Amino acid sequence: MRVAKVDLFAAAIVVMGGSVEAAPCGNNSAGFENWKQVFAQEAAARGIKPKAISALMTTTYSTGTIRADRGQKSFKLSLDAFMAKRGAAGIVSKGRSLKAANAALFANIEKRYGVPPGPLLAIWGMETGFGAFTGNANTLSAVATLAYDCRRPEYFTEQLYAALTLVDRGTLSAGTRGAMHGEVGQTQFLPKNILLYGTDGEGNGGVNLNAKADALASTANFLKGHGWVRGAGYQPGQPNFAAIQGWNAAGVYQQAIAIIGKRIDG
């Protein structure tokens, strides 16, 4: 049964008895609409504004996101197979060209954060093909679905609160689109990482991860925030590999960033 709009709004702003009941997780779409009502109540109690609450209420359960979440098989490949599947040779070739074409941008980023072009280009190329495809899933629906899903609700609840905060700030909207797990922009930032590391690389006073300069500067800021040491190596066993490990939990992905980055940097 569809819940009337007025009831959704009431659920978003009313806190019964001065406390908020935790939103229950679920393993299919059946409880998603009821979960949204309870979560909206929690969010309002935590200071999320009506603009973001309204955006939350437009979300729908994303079967595509659940399918993608359950089917991440490429991370189980060998390193060689993973790099072949990701097109490592092409990333290196185009990465070198982009490094030369954007020399001033990369020099400014390295001066500011200490991160050389190679790992940034490796991440940019592997995440979105250098911005060619940033995803077409509704970001709020993807994150809300994963916050509701029982597999990793705590992790994605944090991401959903971050996304709603970004909606309140105007950085995201109900219509923002990105990858199946809620990542956005040319290097695929989750909402919480946008809050923590999103950076204005263009100098226009805003953060837009679909803009090349902002995406690359934010990625460098992420690596710096994860312990990147200026001038140190970033291969496995070297000081900066730990920062790369912060980018993605899959070992083959971490190694691929290091290898492709080194080939680009020369």
Side-chain angles (χ1 to χ4, degrees):
M1 184 176 83
R2 173 166 284 180
V3 182
K5 185 174 181 181
V6 65
D7 291 333
L8 292 175
F9 180 73
I13 61 173
V14 175
V15 180
M16 295 183 179
S19 63
V20 180
E21 182 182 354
C25 70
N27 291 310
N28 56 52
S29 62
F32 185 69
E33 292 301 321
N34 287 335
W35 172 88
K36 278 198 310 187
Q37 294 182 59
V38 178
F39 192 92
Q41 182 179 324
E42 293 177 12
R46 287 179 54 160
I48 298 297
K49 296 179 175 60
K51 177 183 177 181
I53 296 295
S54 295
L56 173 65
M57 290 307 177
T58 70
T59 61
T60 57
Y61 184 84
S62 175
T63 55
T65 287
I66 295 299
R67 186 164 54 248
D69 189 59
R70 304 297 193 264
Q72 300 182 75
K73 297 178 181 178
S74 67
F75 294 147
K76 299 178 182 178
L77 297 172
S78 69
L79 177 59
D80 287 345
F82 178 80
M83 290 184 62
K85 185 177 180 67
R86 289 294 177 126
I91 293 172
V92 170
S93 177
K94 187 166 184 179
R96 288 170 176 165
S97 296
L98 288 168
K99 177 182 174 181
N102 297 275
L105 171 62
F106 285 110
N108 181 60
I109 289 173
E110 186 166 8
K111 180 179 179 181
R112 187 174 178 184
Y113 299 105
V115 182
L120 300 178
L121 285 155
I123 290 169
W124 189 18
M126 285 206 297
E127 292 286 358
T128 66
F130 303 104
F133 184 69
T134 58
N136 196 36
N138 181 276
T139 298
L140 284 184
S141 288
V143 178
T145 296
L146 291 169
Y148 161 72
D149 184 61
C150 288
R151 193 164 89 86
R152 290 181 289 172
E154 295 85 3
Y155 179 80
F156 280 98
T157 291
E158 287 188 4
Q159 298 296 337
L160 183 53
Y161 274 118
L164 295 174
T165 300
L166 290 165
V167 171
D168 278 338
R169 294 182 181 181
T171 304
L172 300 181
S173 72
T176 296
R177 306 192 81 80
M180 283 295 184
H181 286 78
E183 308 96 331
V184 298
Q186 293 204 29
T187 54
Q188 300 286 274
F189 266 56
L190 282 167
K192 187 175 179 180
N193 285 333
I194 299 175
L195 282 180
L196 293 172
Y197 305 109
T199 301
D200 176 16
E202 295 183 309
N204 61 7
V207 176
N208 176 11
L209 276 297
N210 287 310
K212 172 180 64 181
D214 287 9
L216 293 170
S218 297
T219 305
N221 192 30
F222 176 98
L223 293 173
K224 182 180 179 182
H226 283 74
W228 191 277
V229 178
R230 183 184 300 272
Y234 55 84
Q235 298 305 298
Q238 295 181 323
N240 286 326
F241 189 68
I244 290 174
Q245 289 177 306
W247 183 263
N248 191 291
V252 289
Y253 203 109
Q254 297 161 5
Q255 293 174 74
I257 291 173
I259 293 167
I260 293 170
K262 185 176 181 180
R263 291 176 183 174
I264 292 171
D265 278 338

